[in-house]
Each structure stands twice: as structure tokens, then as C-alpha cells.
Amino acid sequence: MASNARLDHRNPLVFDTHELGRRPGALQRLPRTVDAPRDLGLQGVIGVPEGAPVELELRLESVMEGVLVTGTARAQAEGECVRCLEPLGLELEADFQELFSYPDADDRGRVIAEPGDDAEDDEDRYYLEDGLFDLEPLLRDAVVLALPMQPVCQEDCPGLCSECGARLADDPDHHHDAVDIRWAALQGLAGTMQDGEKDEMSGAEAGVDEKQEK
């Protein structure tokens, strides 16, 4: 993945590989805790809140064609249960590995005059820039793959009542009396007739009262 933007070494997710010195076999281990960048996760579903601590354990290995980055990210993700809509928390652990290529070397580590001649290959590759690499795109992809697409507060969460929206886990005996739709119209008609009878009875009682007064 070629990038035209200059990397800022002050960015906590930008790492320097100069200590490896392009010596194949050289290793460097980098533990680091960083603030989570914005939108780290599945937007609107679950993710690591912006600014939350993310613990990184990185292993940088110099190879012929670049620097192989292997690591693990750990953080606390937050989201919403897709069944009952209650907030939930999740301990996240995401593993990743990617080769950051030297911009002047091909797949066999040989120096080439014009890097990036093949546009399709460039889209699929990460490159070092002045010995620096940006971990954020790699971290973001790893976190998305590690998160559940449909998070639930518990595996057997019963969700919400389809009729009134009540949380069923809070009331296991929650139910509504079922009404056969075939009888619903008749029940409405019966209610109307009962109201009519009440009106007639009220009228009759009023007539009796009038006679008694006379």
C-alpha cells in the first residue's frame, strides 16, 4: 500500500526501523501502549473507544526485502448487544503480521531503479518510508477481523419482546396472551354490541325513572 503522505515520527503508531540497519536476521522487540485512534473497530456495532489504551507487543525482523512486523494488540472494546441492545464490554486480542518492503527492492530483495512500476502490486504492499512505517492501517484491519460481527452480552441472550420491547432476560416468564386474528374482528363486534346493549339499558332505565316520576 503506497502512501504519498509523509510519516510523522512523533505519531505513537509510527515506528522507526533504523536500528535494524537492513541486516537480515536482526531483531527488535517493542512493547508500547498507545491511545486508540478514531473509529477503531466496526462503526456503530463494537470497537475500541477513541483514546482508550491499546497494549502493543511488536517484533521487528529485518529480512532481505524489508522488515517483517509481527505483533499482538490488546484492548477493551465496547459495543451493544445485537439482541437486547444493552451495553457490553469485550477483552480484545488481535494478532497481525505484515511485511513492510524497502521502496528500492523487489520481492527477492534486489535493488530496483523505479519502485512501484506495477500499480496492482503496490496496492497490496506496505512500504517503509525513510525507515519508518505506520502501524495504524495494519492495526485497524487486525482489530476489525478480531471483533464479532454480531456481539451479544451472553450466548443465550433471549433478546427483546417482539410486541412490547421488554428485555426478556429480566423477566423469563414475560408473555402476552395470544389472540387469533381470525376472531379479532368478532371480538371487536362483540364489544360494539355490548356497548350498544349498555346504551339501550341506560335508555330503558331512564324511561322507567320518568314514568315513576309521573
Side-chain angles (χ1 to χ4, degrees), residues 43-136:
Q43 191 169 6
V45 181
I46 189 170
V48 181
E50 183 178 2
V54 179
E55 296 181 4
L56 299 174
E57 293 182 7
L58 302 182
R59 179 178 182 270
L60 312 185
E61 180 181 1
S62 178
V63 295
M64 288 293 294
E65 60 269 30
V67 175
L68 182 65
V69 177
T70 305
T72 300
R74 296 182 180 88
Q76 178 75 21
E78 297 179 1
E80 188 178 80
C81 177
V82 296
R83 296 179 187 169
C84 68
L85 307 182
E86 287 293 306
L88 60 83
L90 174 68
E91 291 292 336
L92 169 72
E93 182 171 312
D95 297 322
F96 49 87
Q97 184 178 71
E98 187 62 58
L99 174 66
F100 287 83
S101 301
Y102 297 125
D104 58 350
D106 65 9
D107 291 337
R108 297 181 181 179
R110 298 175 302 191
V111 174
I112 55 179
E114 294 294 336
D117 288 339
D118 192 328
E120 292 184 1
D121 287 346
D122 287 349
E123 288 296 323
D124 297 331
R125 297 175 67 176
Y126 290 86
Y127 286 93
L128 294 170
E129 181 182 306
D130 296 329
L132 305 175
F133 70 87
D134 184 3
L135 187 67
E136 183 173 341

